[in-house]
Amino acid sequence: MLNLLVVEDHALVREGLLATLKNLGEDTRTIGVPDANEAIGVLEKQDIDMMILDLMLPGTRGQTFLPVVRRRFPTVPVVVLSALDDADTVSRVMKAGASGFVSKAGSSTELLDALRAVLAGEVYLPAKLQELANRSGSAHGDGKSLAQRFGLTAAQSRVMDFLAEGRSNRQIGELLGLSEGTVKIHVSAIMKAMGVSNRSEAALLASRKPRRH
């Protein structure tokens, strides 16, 4: 059984999303809530495989709620769905730990593709939004583009952050909700991209990147 949690305050939009998610398969179970407080209640009591989060929530905004979810429920991947799809918003959301970002201007097919990719352990960002996020990072010019410099994907960048902290593959997998084998593949790709021969050198190089403010 695939358990999906939708956090969206507009009832009509929420109901539409819940209906669309049924297309993922007969074993899909969907739960819809209007705000962050109810979402926390569900996450505490039920085994959720993925959360679909709207950024513009009443009370606690999604951008504030996302880091809370990442800290308290690190194994639950979060896909952000929002009408706010400007470069800064996309960049902030992905850096806050989202596993995917889909614009509300997109199609239901795109949403389902994104969810399937994230369920498979990938990080999803449409090509257009990836370009926007990359431009945003370059425009700030504050040393946040180490991943861009080595051509790392969003998933590899997140693995690299934990690699810099000296985490093991198993620990990284638990924190990101990935299998140990998937993490190992990411680490190998990071080492190859950086041109280093072992994970210690990769970790050292990654740890030298400027701190985020």
Side-chain angles (χ1 to χ4, degrees), residues 34-137:
D35 56 45
N37 288 334
E38 289 196 33
I40 290 291
V42 173
L43 289 167
E44 288 178 337
K45 297 176 182 178
Q46 302 192 42
D47 184 14
I48 298 299
D49 296 297
M50 180 189 299
M51 184 170 78
I52 296 88
L53 173 67
D54 175 32
L55 283 188
M56 300 302 290
L57 294 175
T60 301
R61 293 185 61 187
Q63 291 188 40
T64 305
F65 183 47
L66 176 57
V68 174
V69 175
R70 299 315 312 142
R71 288 195 303 270
R72 294 188 57 182
F73 310 96
T75 62
V76 178
V78 179
V79 173
V80 169
L81 181 64
S82 179
L84 297 174
D85 57 4
D86 59 280
D88 286 342
T89 298
V90 175
S91 181
R92 284 198 302 270
V93 164
M94 298 310 291
K95 288 173 183 175
S99 295
F101 188 105
V102 179
S103 171
K104 282 189 174 180
S107 66
S108 59
T109 298
E110 181 180 322
L111 173 62
L112 293 174
D113 286 344
L115 300 186
R116 291 189 182 101
V118 172
L119 287 170
E122 302 175 14
V123 173
Y124 182 89
L125 197 61
K128 180 180 178 181
L129 298 185
Q130 179 70 65
E131 182 179 351
L132 287 174
N134 288 342
R135 287 178 180 175
S136 175

Side-chain angles (χ1 to χ4, degrees), residues 196-210:
V196 298
S197 57
N198 58 63
R199 76 183 283 128
S200 295
E201 292 179 2
L204 179 61
L205 186 56
S207 67
R208 289 176 177 170
K209 67 179 181 178

Side-chain angles (χ1 to χ4, degrees), residues 133-194:
N134 288 342
R135 287 178 180 175
S136 175
S138 299
H140 284 92
D142 55 3
K144 296 180 181 178
S145 59
L146 181 64
Q148 294 175 19
R149 195 175 85 199
F150 290 109
L152 303 183
T153 65
Q156 291 165 358
S157 179
R158 291 172 65 187
V159 169
M160 181 181 68
D161 286 340
F162 288 115
L163 187 65
E165 296 176 3
R167 306 270 188 174
S168 67
N169 287 351
R170 182 175 181 178
Q171 290 173 325
I172 295 173
E174 291 175 348
L175 289 165
L176 295 180
L178 303 175
S179 70
E180 191 170 349
T182 298
V183 174
K184 186 175 181 179
I185 291 172
H186 284 318
V187 171
S188 296
I190 291 169
M191 288 166 50
K192 181 177 180 180
M194 288 182 165

